[in-house]
Amino acid sequence: MTSTSSPFRTAEQKLEDRAAKRNAVLRAAVQMFNARGFHATSLDDVAASLGISKPTIYHYLGNKDQILLECLKLGLQQLLEAVAQARTLPGSGFDRLVRFLECYAEVMMDDFGRCVIRTPQESLTPQSLPEYRDIKRKIDAAMRELIEEGIADGSIAALDSRLLSFTLAGALNWTARWHNPDGEQDVGEIASTMVDILANGFTPANRPPPG
Amino acid sequence: MTSTSSPFRTAEQKLEDRAAKRNAVLRAAVQMFNARGFHATSLDDVAASLGISKPTIYHYLGNKDQILLECLKLGLQQLLEAVAQARTLPGSGFDRLVRFLECYAEVMMDDFGRCVIRTPQESLTPQSLPEYRDIKRKIDAAMRELIEEGIADGSIAALDSRLLSFTLAGALNWTARWHNPDGEQDVGEIASTMVDILANGFTPANRPPPG
DNA sequence: AACTCAACCTACTCACGAGTAGAGAATATT
DNA sequence: AATATTCTCTACTCGTGAGTAGGTTGAGTT
């Protein structure tokens, strides 16, 4: 799109072109999946929204199942990054968990993050499910670890880490269902307000929150 | 099934019979919807699980859409009852909200409650959606009211009631996704532990929880 | 005995949508 | 210029599953 570029594309540019088209398909698909549901979205619909035909989609992606899997992986990828970021952070376990939760909430208000919550995992074929579940398991485990580190260093109340992680994840996951991406409310603000509320639930009793 | 009953059934018994069969269809259907997903469940499957044929299902219920709507309504009905119960309770707004949340969580671990969360609302036809949404709206509004009453009487922290209700509902809704109905953990215990954690999030700062 | 009606069946129709065959245009390669 | 490769299309196939037509059985009614 740079106006000064030569009309003759290099091999590298062509790869980028292809990747860009592939991504455009995924983006269009995930938005339709989120709006109408996976099963109610036909690939003809997705193609039409891009002004192309269904076989063109198959030129860039294997089949509908793979399209969904890619969308889900793009969502989960962002959560893995949030984990990685939280891991490198200084401060107490409490601080790291809070930061992680804020990122987590923001991902849930992104197209691909929303898809992870809105699309039931049974929509995947049995072939794709294991790969998806593996990544999910990793994220769950990482979150539990963050909690347990906080409990160990005394910055998080000694609760059942399993139940706590489900409670926190559930509250944040739910934003994928109610948040309107076209609304004007700031995503970061929503995230931090919710995490504030939730954080009171795992603040140790002997160390009340600031306020 | 009473061994002393006459083999000749009264008209009333026949109506009961019919209702029982209808309910059996709904129960079988909802369990399959929850296990495999709505779209992945064919009515032939449901019929087979009951040892009957698909037309028999149509003898008791109009169509697949209506079956889903009935299942969802059975779930929402239980939530409406939880609202009604909380309304009649004595005590502060905080107390009423906590009781409501506990019931809410338990419903989410019931077959029909699970279905409300696990089945995307887009699975309903556009004809059925409005009715479903109306009931949901009522429940949401009631929850917000409970929160606002608590804020008004000072027993609940002065937070954004909209965001607080989404946070609480989301955390509890999520049990519908992770809780294993065949597991041994007590539903009431899960509910009260989660509500305890969440309640810390809306306890006023100047009145710390017991402990 | 003749009739009615609920309950249940087998055996269809029919629409929809995933995925494909095969061709044509555009672009790159020799 | 000839050839290969990429990209995209139109026009199919084909399986699946919702919903229906129409018949059988058997209990209750007149």
Side-chain angles (χ1 to χ4, degrees), chain A residues 73-142:
Chain A
K73 280 163 73 175
L74 284 171
L76 295 182
Q77 192 54 44
Q78 296 177 71
L79 295 182
L80 286 172
E81 282 160 24
V83 167
Q85 204 214 62
R87 284 237 162 288
T88 67
L89 235 58
S92 65
F94 180 96
D95 297 331
R96 282 199 299 276
L97 179 61
V98 163
R99 182 75 198 112
F100 169 70
L101 294 176
E102 283 167 356
C103 293
Y104 189 108
E106 292 189 26
V107 172
M108 287 302 142
M109 292 181 261
D110 164 84
D111 281 341
F112 295 103
R114 281 158 68 83
C115 187
V116 172
I117 301 308
R118 296 177 78 102
T119 307
Q121 59 174 227
E122 314 92 40
S123 304
L124 285 171
T125 63
Q127 288 78 50
S128 303
L129 251 186
E131 184 178 353
Y132 172 76
R133 286 208 170 126
D134 272 2
I135 307 180
K136 260 203 137 175
R137 216 190 317 276
K138 259 186 209 126
I139 294 166
D140 284 357

Side-chain angles (χ1 to χ4, degrees), chain A:
Chain A
M1 276 300 181
T2 52
S3 56
T4 58
S5 69
S6 153
F8 303 97
R9 296 164 311 150
T10 66
E12 190 190 346
Q13 276 175 326
K14 275 166 49 178
L15 280 177
E16 276 170 24
D17 260 29
R18 191 179 164 86
K21 286 182 182 175
R22 197 183 121 109
N23 288 340
V25 170
L26 291 176
R27 177 73 63 177
V30 80
Q31 286 176 352
M32 268 182 159
F33 293 164
N34 287 337
R36 311 185 191 177
F38 175 74
H39 280 284
T41 302
S42 76
L43 293 188
D44 279 317
D45 292 338
V46 176
S49 82
L50 290 163
I52 61 177
S53 69
K54 183 169 58 174
T56 301
I57 290 182
Y58 279 87
H59 185 67
Y60 292 99
L61 288 147
N63 54 35
K64 198 183 180 187
D65 178 56
Q66 192 189 122
I67 292 174
L68 177 58
L69 182 60
E70 285 298 308
C71 290
L72 294 174
K73 280 163 73 175
L74 284 171
L76 295 182
Q77 192 54 44
Q78 296 177 71
L79 295 182
L80 286 172
E81 282 160 24
V83 167
Q85 204 214 62
R87 284 237 162 288
T88 67
L89 235 58
S92 65
F94 180 96
D95 297 331
R96 282 199 299 276
L97 179 61
V98 163
R99 182 75 198 112
F100 169 70
L101 294 176
E102 283 167 356
C103 293
Y104 189 108
E106 292 189 26
V107 172
M108 287 302 142
M109 292 181 261
D110 164 84
D111 281 341
F112 295 103
R114 281 158 68 83
C115 187
V116 172
I117 301 308
R118 296 177 78 102
T119 307
Q121 59 174 227
E122 314 92 40
S123 304
L124 285 171
T125 63
Q127 288 78 50
S128 303
L129 251 186
E131 184 178 353
Y132 172 76
R133 286 208 170 126
D134 272 2
I135 307 180
K136 260 203 137 175
R137 216 190 317 276
K138 259 186 209 126
I139 294 166
D140 284 357
M143 182 159 168
R144 285 261 271 288
E145 263 180 53
L146 282 172
I147 290 173
E148 276 156 16
E149 286 165 20
I151 293 176
D153 74 16
S155 59
I156 289 178
L159 298 158
D160 177 341
S161 68
R162 180 179 126 93
L163 222 45
L164 178 57
S165 78
F166 283 141
T167 303
L168 300 174
L172 302 180
N173 287 340
W174 202 243
T175 54
R177 286 279 190 100
W178 60 261
H179 177 257
N180 174 7
D182 304 324
E184 70 293 338
Q185 204 175 0
D186 181 58
V187 163
E189 200 179 311
I190 293 173
S192 75
T193 305
M194 290 184 72
V195 174
D196 279 352
I197 294 173
L198 292 169
N200 289 329
F202 55 84
T203 300
N206 56 343
R207 191 196 308 179

Side-chain angles (χ1 to χ4, degrees), chain B residues 37-55:
Chain B
F38 176 74
H39 280 285
T41 302
S42 76
L43 293 189
D44 279 317
D45 292 339
V46 175
S49 83
L50 290 163
I52 60 175
S53 69
K54 184 168 56 173

Side-chain angles (χ1 to χ4, degrees), chain B residues 67-101:
Chain B
I67 292 174
L68 177 57
L69 182 60
E70 285 299 308
C71 290
L72 295 174
K73 279 163 76 176
L74 284 171
L76 295 183
Q77 191 55 44
Q78 296 177 71
L79 295 182
L80 287 172
E81 282 160 23
V83 167
Q85 204 214 61
R87 285 237 163 288
T88 67
L89 234 58
S92 66
F94 179 96
D95 297 331
R96 281 199 299 276
L97 179 61
V98 163
R99 183 72 199 113
F100 169 69
L101 293 176

